[in-house]
Amino acid sequence: MRKPLVVGNWKMNGDKALTESLCVGIASRSNRLRNIDIVLCPPFPFLYLADACLKKSTVSLGAQDLDANTNGPFTGQVSASMLNGHNCKYVIVGHSERRVNNAETDQLVSRKTQIALEHHLIPILCIGETTEQRKAGQTEQTVIHQLQNVIDHTGIGAFNDIVIAYEPIWAIGTNITATPDQAQEIHSLIREQLRQQDKKIANDCRIIYGGSMKPENARELIAQTDIDGGLVGGASLNSDDFFLICQAALSD
Ligand code: PEP
């Protein structure tokens, strides 16, 4: 059985006060969510504070990105070992906003995934198609290409320690959530791609959905056979909404 996972990606939002209230708002109720894994990914400057607020809870800390290098002259970048130093357990790699806004290529995403693994961070590998690609009937090939690029770099065995997030770009921050059928179709395709390379990894690997997940639609999405939780952006900035999404995952 795959343990459900719900991840909050705050993106470039919040301040110290919000960090404290969101962390405490979830951590104080986390004893009611013991059968799922919960991860909060604040912006880098708030990792220290978030770590302190989450200390006595079962909620884990994650980062939104990392650099592909271990250290050196990379002004403004943050390394895997720095994330280790803040007790991060997870790190998002290849989020579409970084692929688009920061021109991150499949190759760079693969290198980031590898460096995260080498530092015992669990990569949350984001893959997904644009509106244009979906309209052109290229969803499957896009997603498989993005996934296979990482498999070819890390080896299939690494997927024992990787979470995949299917995030159709047209659904991110748009309030246009993929229907449960649309999402399940691609999750099942992703799992099949893993299965062709390793059956056990395909069965065990968690594939979470991201794209306008809300308390109102989370239950039905996560109830799908191949959807193991959610990567939540906007709704993770409200602790009550995020808690309701976690509860929806719990009852799956
Ligand atoms: C995301 O940032 O990964 C995301 C899914 O955002 P939202 O939930 O706001 O669509």
Side-chain angles (χ1 to χ4, degrees), residues 9 11 92 95 97 126 167 171-175 209-214 231-236:
N9 173 17
K11 312 193 190 195
I92 297 171
H95 192 283
E97 286 157 9
C126 300
E167 297 210 299
I172 297 179
T174 57
N175 272 331
Y209 167 82
S212 298
M213 186 178 267
K214 312 260 180 244
L231 176 51
V232 185
S236 71

Side-chain angles (χ1 to χ4, degrees), residues 237-252:
L237 293 169
N238 177 308
S239 60
D240 291 337
D241 284 352
F242 190 68
F243 178 72
L244 287 171
I245 293 174
C246 292
Q247 274 193 319
L250 188 64
S251 62
D252 178 37

